[in-house]
Amino acid sequence: MGVTYICQWKQPEGQNIQQSIEQISSCVEKLGAKKAGLFQVECESFNAPNAPNAKTLHLIYDSEFPASRFALFEESSFLVTDVMLSAFLSKLRAVWQPKKGGKIDCKGQRYELGDFLIKLGVVSVGASAKGISVELEYAPCVYARDCWGMMSEMLQSIIGEQAPPSLPSNLQPKGTERFSPELTMQQYVEMFNNIRKTVVAR
Amino acid sequence: MSGNPPPIKISLQSLSDTKIQEIAYDGRETFIQPLSMSESLTDLANRIDFLAENEDEETQTDDATSTSVDEAQYQAKQWPWENIRTQIQRSVIEMNVLTDVLSIAQNKPTNVPKETAESSDSNRYMMYDFASKEAEPSKQSLQMITKKRCLGAASKILLSGADRLNKAKSESSFQNTYHSELLKLRQRWRVRRVGEKILGELSFRTAGSDYWHMGSFEVIKKSDEDSDTLDDYEQNLTKLTPNVPKSPIKVVVSSDLRGFSSLSVQIMDLSKDEAIKSCTLSLSDIENSAMSSANDPLWHRVLCNAQNVLFCRELFARLSKEAVQQKTLGTASPIVVIGDTITTNIFPKIQLRVQLLFSKTHPTKRNPRQASIFSIQNALMHLLLRYFSKRLHISPPHPTTAALGLTTQMRHAAVHHNSLNQLAATAKKTTLSFVDVLITMSKHYEVRQRVCDTIKVLSNEFSDPDVLAHWSLASSKTESSARLTIANSGFESCYRSAVQVIVKPDCIKILQRDARSLTLSVDPTDLHNYFVSLVASHQLMTVQVLSRTLGWTMLHVSPHSSLGLTPDIKNRGSVLISSNNGAVSVAIACNEMIGGPIQYTTHVQYTKAHDRSQLEGTMYDDPDFSLESEKYLPLGGVWMKVNWPQLHGRHFIQKMETLLTSLVY
């Protein structure tokens, strides 16, 4: 359980996703990271058409937490549950219905470099790949403010100029709260939403 | 005379004649003293029979009522409370008399005014006096006789009871002992009656085992004829302890449980072809005297042995099942299971062998010269017990709808978002793998033995610095640590080096004082090399500290300089120091001969003040050089080797001290 930062990597012009992934993987491997299996993050969205002003409900499965499922409302509450959540939600079909085109997932390789965990994944809606996500986790620390310096350095060596210079606002916890998977999932949902918007924009 | 005079009542009173009580031989008469006033009153009072008076009154009233029955009946109807009223009236009168008597006797002051009241002393009508008591028999002999008689009666009762009990006990009929023996059997073993037969069970099922063997035995009543036939097995059992009382019960166990069994774990050094350490595990080791004693009957011993055989077989079956399925190995060679032996090479040339020993007739002899590895014994036993308890004691789930059989941590794993690493760690903690534990423990044992031996050998080799090894008490099944302290005797406050050696099943980790940590392999030569270099560096460090205290300056230190002229000399460090006035320099090199001990070679270069006369005529005589010439004098000096054996001192550092102090004068 550590501090996690997720961002989308904009691939350079003229390269397709496959080449971009290979490029960034070779970069990470040169740093000395070792492959440590595959990872997968799936997100299903639901909305309640009957209730007015209802927020979208996102259901997230992260292979890093294989025994848990996360339920997230946008900018609102967050829930950690057992694996039976999707079955439970299907029983509530009357209220919550899956959104069309709502299933996004991110699959890729997992690398371990000392205390860091680097995940490079391809974000795809259905069968088509839409983007590349980079996730960096620093396991020993649980306070984002304390380890941001190290993480930004690491990010710079992986993704170059696209690394953010200062601690992003959504990572800054309220007060001195510890970093929790809630923030991780929020970042994922934000990234998926951005990717959806770009898809729609095209 | 007309008219009879009314009858006059005459009361007679005897003359108060003093009666003679006794006439003595000399004629003197002793009279019975007449009763005093109070005595006569008490005498008269004693004569009054209050009850008789009442009876007389009652008879009178009865007569009165009987003569006029009708009248009385008529009257009774009219006044049914008459009887009760007279009774109450009589009791009230008597109570009044009593209170009057008491108040007069106490002489309470009445409410009569003072003039008429007379002094209490003269008007005392009644007084209290002691009632006469019966004299106790003062004779002690009489008391003793009565007590003796009472005790005799009580003891007779007790003796008769004891006699009855004795008779019952000594009456040993065959039928009685059979029942009592059966009762004893039932107290210790699970026995039940099935039709005509009496069957029992000695397996560990109720403790949580799931071994297939039923472990049942049959109890047979022995008739008198064949009470003396014992077969080999039982004879050997009885040989163990001689006092086996004969019993009318015979126990029949299935033939594969008749015998002596134990599990032996051996670590063997194949290069020397002898077992280094071994441990034999059997249930009877753990049982000890709490369960059985020398006076146990034969059936108990048979059953205990059978249970022991079952225990060893179950443990071995579990081990072999896991050994066959073992995928990830920490061993040098794969695990081989043949029959009743499991063998594997935990290190090259070190073999671990687990054997199930079973003999029909003779108990397995333990080689007394080989010490047993208690920790492995204990660990295997514990693992089996934990496995049993896990099967038996399942914690109830909270909430009740959750899955059965999970621990609290497992149940909360999902909701407390346990990551992959955390889940893997909990899985590792909860698996009970017998073979894993056995292998890691034996590896750890072996490595620890090696470290121990190396330290011993080296500390014997180096008599010079004192090497102390202190093994920590805080050790686990798979890790132990020792702290090595190296100091020169007499110079402990000067310099001391300490190093912590952590022994793990796969490697040896060394932690040094300067926070450096080294990982050495399990090979003993690695540790040997490290040790030698440690001692050498310690010596050189001590020399440095010593020279600093004596005022010498350090010119150069090198931890390793390959300055050996011949290839079989390994250099372990060198130091160059000079005195504070610059006149003398000392160079020390620490060399190790390959295959030999460490030797220190010391070279000293010193220059005495050159005579001015010698320098005449040389370039040093030039006036420009004269001011700085002293500085350059030592440069041209000659290096001389120190005669080490002749130097005074018990060990290296002491000799160095002598040398340094003698060179500066």
Side-chain angles (χ1 to χ4, degrees), chain B residues 264-279 349-353 355 367 369-371 373 445-446:
Chain B
S264 103
V265 176
Q266 286 175 324
I267 300 178
M268 307 204 302
D269 193 351
L270 289 179
S271 54
K272 297 177 204 159
D273 200 30
E274 62 177 62
I276 305 175
K277 291 287 173 176
S278 74
C279 80
K349 300 283 181 70
I350 307 285
Q351 192 185 61
L352 172 72
R353 189 200 286 188
Q355 223 175 356
N367 196 341
R369 276 181 286 121
Q370 287 172 349
I373 317 172
Y445 182 83
E446 171 59 27

Side-chain angles (χ1 to χ4, degrees), chain A residues 63-68 80 82 181, chain B residues 413-421 423:
Chain A
S63 62
E64 194 66 24
F65 306 96
S68 322
V80 184
D82 208 351
Chain B
V415 186
H416 289 171
H417 45 75
N418 279 18
S419 69
L420 266 176
N421 296 340
L423 288 171

Side-chain angles (χ1 to χ4, degrees), chain B residues 562-606:
Chain B
S562 357
L563 296 174
L565 293 170
T566 47
D568 57 344
I569 297 180
K570 256 199 281 187
N571 181 278
R572 294 282 184 184
S574 53
V575 169
L576 187 64
I577 49 179
S578 84
S579 67
N580 50 3
N581 60 3
V584 194
S585 317
V586 179
I588 304 131
C590 187
N591 293 324
E592 184 196 356
M593 304 287 285
I594 309 251
I598 290 192
Q599 39 171 237
Y600 310 97
T601 47
T602 325
H603 295 270
V604 180
Q605 174 197 29
Y606 66 96

Side-chain angles (χ1 to χ4, degrees), chain A residues 8-27 130-134 158-162 202:
Chain A
Q8 186 189 0
W9 193 57
K10 295 181 193 55
Q11 62 249 42
E13 308 286 321
Q15 267 186 348
N16 64 356
I17 295 213
Q18 192 61 29
Q19 289 171 331
S20 316
I21 271 284
E22 275 175 26
Q23 184 186 4
I24 203 171
S25 311
S26 62
C27 185
K130 299 290 175 206
I132 294 173
S133 83
V134 176
I158 298 173
I159 55 180
E161 312 104 4
Q162 294 183 32
R202 275 193 211 160

Side-chain angles (χ1 to χ4, degrees), chain A residues 35 43 55 85 177:
Chain A
K35 277 193 193 166
C43 175
K55 297 198 190 128
L85 184 63
E177 275 169 21

Side-chain angles (χ1 to χ4, degrees), chain B residues 385-404:
Chain B
L385 288 175
R386 256 180 76 194
Y387 178 77
F388 285 173
S389 75
K390 218 178 169 184
R391 281 203 73 235
L392 210 53
H393 307 297
I394 302 174
S395 60
H398 291 145
T400 45
T401 49
L404 200 70

